Structure formats: C-alpha cells, structure tokens
Amino acid sequence: MHIAVVLKQVPDLVEELEIDSAGTDIDRSFLKMKLNEFDDHALEQAVLLKESAGAQVTALALDSDGVDQVLHSAVARGADKAIKVAAGDGPFASRQAAPALAAAIRSLNVDLVLTGVQAADDVFGQTAPFLAAELGWPHVSVVSGVEPAGSAVRVRQEYSGGRMAVLEVDTPAVVGVQAAPQSPRYVPISRLRQVMAGGPPESVTATAGAAPAGTMVVALAKPEQAGGAEMISGSTDQVAERILALLSERGLLRG
Amino acid sequence: MGKVLVYVETTGDTVAPVTFELLAAARALGGEVEALVAAPDPGLVAAQLGGADTILTMAHPALAPYLPEAHVAALAEAIKSRNPDTVLVGSTSTGIDVAAGAAAASGRPLVAYCLGLEPDGGAVVARSQVYGGKLVATTRTEGPAIFAVLPGAFKDAAGRAGGKGQRALLEPPAALGALHTRFVSASEPEPGIDITRAERLVSVGRGIGGPENLELAEELAQALGAEIAASRPVVDSGWLPRQRQVGKSGMTVKPKLYFAVGISGAPEHLEGMRDAELIIAVNSDAAAPIFEVAQYGTTCDLFDLLPALSERLKAATG
Ligand SMILES: Cc1cc2nc3c(=O)[nH]c(=O)nc-3n(C[C@H](O)[C@H](O)[C@H](O)COP(=O)(O)OP(=O)(O)OC[C@H]3O[C@@H](n4cnc5c(N)ncnc54)[C@H](O)[C@@H]3O)c2cc1C
Ligand SMILES: Nc1ncnc2c1ncn2[C@@H]1O[C@H](COP(=O)(O)O)[C@@H](O)[C@H]1O
C-alpha cells in the first residue's frame, strides 16, 4: 500500500493572534506556526500502517515558509519520502489547495490519502472531501483508526455521543484523520539531523484552484463575548478562597 | 431568500437535535423551507419534521446505516433537482463529509463552522468560529451556497413546527447502486460511568500535562463530590477512558458545576458543555475561548491552584 499524508502548518493557538490592518485576516508577520494537530495524527496513522502492514509513506505539503522543516520531520518520524508542492503564494483555502494536491497525488500512484480532519484557519471547508472530489475517490472523515482490508481499508468513524462505526472503503480513498490509535511520536533529533543533511525535499509544481467564487471574508475579529467570564485575580490563596466562597454561596459544596 | 434546503441528520429513525436548529435558521432566513430525508424508509423521520414547508423524501436501502458517499450523493441529487438558493447542513461529524462533499459535487461554495446567518439583500452574511474559537470570521456570500452550522448556534423551538407539511418524492441517484463504501459494524459508548448524570464535573484538558498529574484533579473532584471528565486530547492520549470525554464526539453534559482545568475551549469542546449551570475555568492563557462561556475564570497556574483549592474544600466540608 502506498499512502500519501498531506501536511499543513497552522498558527499556534496558544499564542496571541493579531488581526491585520484590513481587518480580514490574521497578521502573519510574527506568527508562530506549528504542524496542524490533526495532520500530526494523520502522519502517525500512516507510520503505524507502515509498521503493521508494510506500507510506503509519502509526505506532501504545499510550499510555504518553514515547510522543509515540516517535511524533514515527517521523514525523521518514518515517512519514506517527502514532496513539496509548489503552487504559488498562499495561503490557500482548502478548496484551492485540493486541485494542486490532487495533481501531485495522481502522479504518485497512491492507494490511500490521509489528511487532518480540519484546520482551524480555514472557514471554507475541509480538504479531505474536496480532495476526494477532485480525485473522484470515496472519502470518510472524522476517522480515529485505519486498518488494511485487501483492496480496501477499514476505518473507524466517530459520531456525537460517543457512537462509532466501522466502515470499509475501497482504495484508492481519501480519509480525514481525527486521531491516530496512539499519540504521535516525537521526532528523533539525531534522525532529523541526518534527514536534513540530505538536502531539501523534492519539489513539484502544480496549479492551485481559484478562490471560492461568490463568497468572501469581510471581517475577522475576536468574539464579541470575549471576556464573558468574571476573572478572579490575586494570589493563589486569594483565588482559592474566592472560588470556595462562590461554591458555598451556591450550595455547591459536597455534603 | 428564495428557497432554503435543510439536510436532515438522523440517528436511526430519530431526527438529530441539530436538524431542528437548522430548520429554525432556515425559517429566520425567510423563504420556503425544504427538508431532505434520505433513508431506506423515510416515513418515520418525515413525520417529525413539522418545521418544514416541503419534506423531500428519498428512499433507498443504501441510505442507512450512514455512509458518507451515499449521503453526499443524495444531497447532491436533491440540490440538482430542487435548485435551492441556500443549503444548510449541521457542522457535525457527518456534516463534515456531507457539506463539503455536496459543495464539491454541486460546484457551490461552502461556508463552515457557522454560528450565525443573516440575510442581507440577496446575500447571506455568516459568522463562523475559526482558530479554535479565538476568532470569528464574517463572510458575505452571494448566490447559491452551502452553510455548515454549528450545533447549538440556533434555538430549536422555531424549527419544530409551523411548516406547511407538503411532501415531495425524490428519485435516488444511480450512484447509490454502485458505492465504494460499506458498513461493517457500529458501537455505542462502553457502559460504565455516565458523566451526563453527574451534578458536578471537574474536567481536565491537555494543560494537565500528563497522567501523573491527574491525581491533582481527582483530589479536587473528591473534595467537591464531583466526577472527572476530560477533553478529547486527554482521552486520545489514553490518560482517561472514552466515556469521560465531553464535546462534539463525546458526551453533552449540563451539570450544576463544570470546573474546567487546562482546557482551551475549542468549539468542539464547548459544544458539549456550554449549557452547564455554572462554569468555572482555570487556564493560564487569558485569551482562551473557555472564558467566553465561563461565568468565572482565573489565569492561575492549575498546578498551584488545584492543591490550594482541594485543601480549602476539605477543610470546609470536613
Ligand atoms: C470533528 C471533531 C470532533 C472533536 N470532538 C471533540 C470532543 O468531543 N471533545 C473535545 O474536548 N475536543 C474535541 N475535538 C478537539 C478540539 O478541536 C480541541 O483540539 C480540543 O478540545 C483541545 O483540548 P484541550 O483544550 O484539552 O487542549 P488545548 O487546546 O491544547 O488546551 C490546553 C489549555 O491548557 C492551558 N494550560 C496549559 N498549562 C496550564 C497550566 N499549568 N495551568 C492552567 N492552564 C494551563 C493552555 O493555556 C491551553 O489553553 C474535536 C475536533 C474535531 C475536529
Ligand atoms: N494549503 C494546504 N496545504 C497542505 N495541506 C492542506 C492545505 N489545506 C489543507 N490541507 C490538509 O487538509 C487538512 C485539513 O485542513 P482544512 O481542510 O483546511 O480544514 C490540513 O490539516 C492538511 O492535512
């Protein structure tokens, strides 16, 4: 089985996000980026399949600042190969990214594409279903486990209330990964150095799709209710005292 | 606003709560409200849809149990034959498959994670939760489009009744006879602790750092007479069992007290707990979205606060 894993960096949400002067995007000048958490799980899932079923894993990412590092890390974690897809200056919405990714994937002869289920920075939808439509392949998202099953894969799809189903999807297929069966492993630093010494990842060019027609972001802002909570300040002891008083007033102490 | 089509999500023969919220949202947009029921035997579901003007039923055995491919094909077919101006789908697990899949198949734009929708002339202005709930994007959409609406964004009452109750049959698309996806098995949450019944919950997020620190939360829970709950990453890491997960793919809880520790408050988490009576949140990041739904919050380090609070509670309750 040949698996392509699609990787993307997103702003680290623990950091403060500033809005740009136009008021329609985040200010990208001092942004700390990290690998999308769900992509991290998609990569882990791919490497687990490689270990259990002998798959070949290719990591793919659209070219952007810092992408070499992301791809090198993927190889250090177990991907066999990394490919940078140069599609011009982004950032691209998932729907624009899909045709470029699909072109690269078609030339690779893969059986399975894994992406993260969603990315926090894209309001116009999720990549996995758009990519599946481009490729004309079946698709399942919100998946937390993939196993080989002959010319298909078995995936575990999650629903609300803790319900789940196992579905079988003929390959080639596209799967949006929510979580791998185990936590993503760390990048071994010595291995990373070795990979980096091999030079930048292979690059291919592809054409991104047009921006979604008929819709646009007219404003990006902090939520109106921001600071809805009354913030309790002071020393740890003062805060604890205040919380105790709040719980006691409302009859919420045990007993 | 012409015509609004709502994709009806179900669990078995029961209409999912988000569907009534979508019907209410559709009503508020104005115009005719149509609802698509795609099921082997749509009758029982259709009977629950008093909020729709026209209930479109599409019957085919491949439409249950749920398969993404089948439901994308069904919704795409309904869009083609009914040509609605606006399509509303729940931003749920199944909604991720269905909304984007139908957008691609119909060539329409998709606006996801919607918290609010308003008509503006012929356009729809939507507010969407992005960046883990830290920011809200406002979009303006002209022409036919699909919107994925977050559960809890609209009140369901206006979507439960008041429709004209007309019916129309839709032909299932041929694609349903040649699917590449098959259902294998389903599972319910494992029996055991039911956190939806607990009056008080101490809920732990990734901020707890590791399983070795859970005892801090357990001590607090014991002092409060509370059960332990968790965000998804804590469960995915195997630190706590799946039955204790709160949120979109976990449980929806409404306890008297929800004490959130080291939880950022991503939309998928808030979905499962925003209706708790009292929410107190501990998070060192003052901009964490959990503080938007909490009544009280503190940026105290949880590793300092939890022991101090447990000690006081123990002293107070003996
Ligand atoms: C389809 C789908 C379904 C999902 N379903 C769910 C679901 O059911 N439930 C769920 O929870 N998530 C769900 N998620 C995941 C969700 O998007 C978030 O990734 C998740 O909720 C984040 O969990 P967290 O808040 O524990 O972690 P983080 O977002 O990493 O937050 C940790 C927080 O801890 C704080 N912190 C760190 N150290 C300290 C300290 N010492 N003291 C105080 N605070 C500290 C940090 O400031 C941070 O805000 C789902 C996602 C998708 C795409
Ligand atoms: N511009 C992009 N470049 C590479 N991968 C992407 C891109 N957009 C989306 N993806 C992939 O799709 C996942 C979900 O993102 P999204 O669909 O934008 O919510 C990402 O985490 C990546 O796996």
Side-chain angles (χ1 to χ4, degrees):
Chain A
M1 181 160 50
H2 184 182
I3 305 173
V5 187
V6 183
L7 304 173
K8 166 181 160 172
Q9 299 179 91
V10 292
D12 188 343
L13 295 181
V14 173
E15 305 286 312
E16 178 109 23
L17 299 173
E18 302 288 349
I19 310 293
D20 69 2
S21 54
T24 54
D25 195 3
I26 50 173
D27 183 345
R28 293 175 188 271
S29 31
F30 301 104
L31 220 48
K32 188 172 154 220
M33 303 292 278
K34 57 178 265 200
L35 179 62
N36 179 14
E37 162 174 19
F38 305 117
D39 298 11
D40 207 3
H41 280 268
L43 176 61
E44 183 62 31
Q45 177 66 75
V47 175
L48 287 172
L49 281 166
K50 173 178 170 174
E51 289 167 350
S52 68
Q56 180 195 344
V57 177
T58 302
L60 276 182
L62 288 192
D63 195 1
S64 65
D65 269 355
V67 78
D68 285 8
Q69 173 75 20
V70 168
L71 289 172
H72 285 319
S73 303
V75 172
R77 270 174 54 186
D80 298 288
K81 194 174 159 186
I83 298 179
K84 187 157 68 172
V85 183
D89 288 337
F92 295 111
S94 52
R95 202 156 183 178
Q96 294 171 273
L101 293 168
I105 288 164
R106 268 189 222 105
S107 69
L108 287 175
N109 208 3
V110 307
D111 304 292
L112 181 64
V113 179
L114 301 181
T115 78
V117 60
Q118 67 181 41
D121 61 348
D122 189 358
V123 68
F124 295 120
Q126 298 81 18
T127 303
F130 289 142
L131 189 53
E134 285 290 331
L135 293 164
W137 297 354
H139 151 259
V140 182
S141 266
V142 198
V143 163
S144 60
V146 182
E147 280 172 20
S151 59
V153 285
R154 283 195 171 191
V155 299
R156 193 165 70 154
Q157 184 172 48
E158 298 194 1
Y159 312 102
S160 57
R163 290 177 306 113
M164 297 186 193
V166 175
L167 308 180
E168 203 168 86
V169 195
D170 291 338
T171 53
V174 182
V175 169
V177 174
Q178 155 87 62
Q182 69 181 46
S183 300
R185 65 195 71 187
Y186 292 104
V187 184
I189 296 298
S190 57
R191 177 79 185 109
L192 181 60
R193 285 214 191 90
Q194 229 178 350
V195 174
M196 286 168 71
E202 176 186 335
S203 180
V204 300
T205 53
T207 311
T215 184
M216 62 192 285
V217 175
V218 293
L220 187 66
K222 302 215 159 123
E224 286 148 27
Q225 317 115 286
E230 179 184 328
M231 297 304 282
I232 307 171
S233 52
S235 68
T236 305
D237 285 331
Q238 288 166 329
V239 173
E241 210 45 70
R242 179 76 202 287
I243 293 175
L244 176 69
L246 281 170
L247 295 174
S248 163
E249 280 161 26
R250 288 160 197 256
L252 284 169
L253 295 183
R254 86 177 275 169
Chain B
M1 178 51 49
K3 193 152 73 179
V4 185
L5 173 64
V6 169
Y7 167 78
V8 176
E9 187 175 325
T10 57
T11 307
D13 281 330
T14 308
V15 174
V18 69
T19 298
F20 298 110
E21 299 167 9
L22 297 180
L23 288 166
R27 188 61 68 200
L29 281 172
E32 283 283 304
V33 178
E34 299 195 338
L36 170 68
V37 184
D41 181 5
L44 278 177
V45 171
Q48 298 164 54
L49 298 172
D53 294 324
T54 305
I55 300 163
L56 312 171
T57 54
M58 185 186 289
H60 193 285
L63 289 165
Y66 171 80
L67 296 173
E69 194 186 1
H71 280 254
V72 166
L75 180 55
E77 177 66 24
I79 292 171
K80 203 162 93 190
S81 69
R82 305 298 294 187
N83 197 24
D85 301 281
T86 301
V87 178
L88 304 184
V89 180
S91 188
T92 59
S93 290
T94 48
I96 292 182
D97 301 324
V98 174
S106 64
R108 295 181 172 210
L110 167 65
V111 180
Y113 318 113
C114 297
L115 284 170
L117 297 172
E118 264 161 44
D120 180 20
V124 175
V125 173
R127 285 180 308 112
S128 296
Q129 219 161 15
V130 284
Y131 296 98
K134 279 198 156 178
L135 298 176
V136 173
T138 305
T139 53
R140 189 182 158 84
T141 307
E142 313 254 4
I146 301 182
F147 298 86
V149 180
L150 290 168
F154 288 84
K155 296 256 176 288
D156 62 351
R160 288 191 179 267
K164 294 181 192 147
Q166 296 157 174
R167 296 285 181 105
L169 290 176
L170 293 188
E171 267 314 301
L176 293 182
L179 295 175
H180 297 279
T181 321
R182 292 167 295 282
F183 173 80
V184 177
S185 63
S187 66
E188 296 290 319
E190 279 168 37
I193 151 82
D194 181 0
I195 57 167
T196 63
R197 289 168 184 274
E199 282 199 345
R200 294 163 224 173
L201 289 171
V202 170
S203 194
V204 194
R206 184 145 50 187
I208 198 79
E212 64 282 6
N213 301 324
L214 278 177
E215 62 184 15
L216 290 176
E218 273 152 11
E219 206 184 338
L220 175 63
Q222 194 172 17
L224 270 170
E227 280 291 346
I228 293 277
S231 70
R232 165 142 207 155
V234 168
V235 171
D236 280 343
S237 304
W239 304 342
L240 283 170
R242 184 75 51 195
Q243 302 100 293
R244 295 193 187 262
Q245 181 183 318
V246 171
K248 190 182 208 75
S249 45
M251 302 299 164
T252 298
V253 298
K254 290 184 190 174
K256 290 194 170 142
L257 172 66
Y258 192 85
F259 198 97
V261 206
I263 293 179
S264 62
E268 294 84 9
H269 186 80
L270 300 188
E271 198 179 307
M273 46 64 74
R274 63 180 341 137
D275 292 332
E277 281 175 38
L278 177 66
I279 301 169
I280 302 180
V282 184
N283 191 312
S284 42
D285 175 9
I290 189 78
F291 295 129
E292 287 152 37
V293 300
Q295 283 80 32
Y296 296 94
T298 176
T299 54
C300 256
D301 191 296
L302 73 90
F303 294 108
D304 298 329
L305 183 66
L306 262 49
L309 184 57
S310 300
E311 196 181 308
R312 273 183 179 67
L313 283 165
K314 273 186 243 166
T317 56

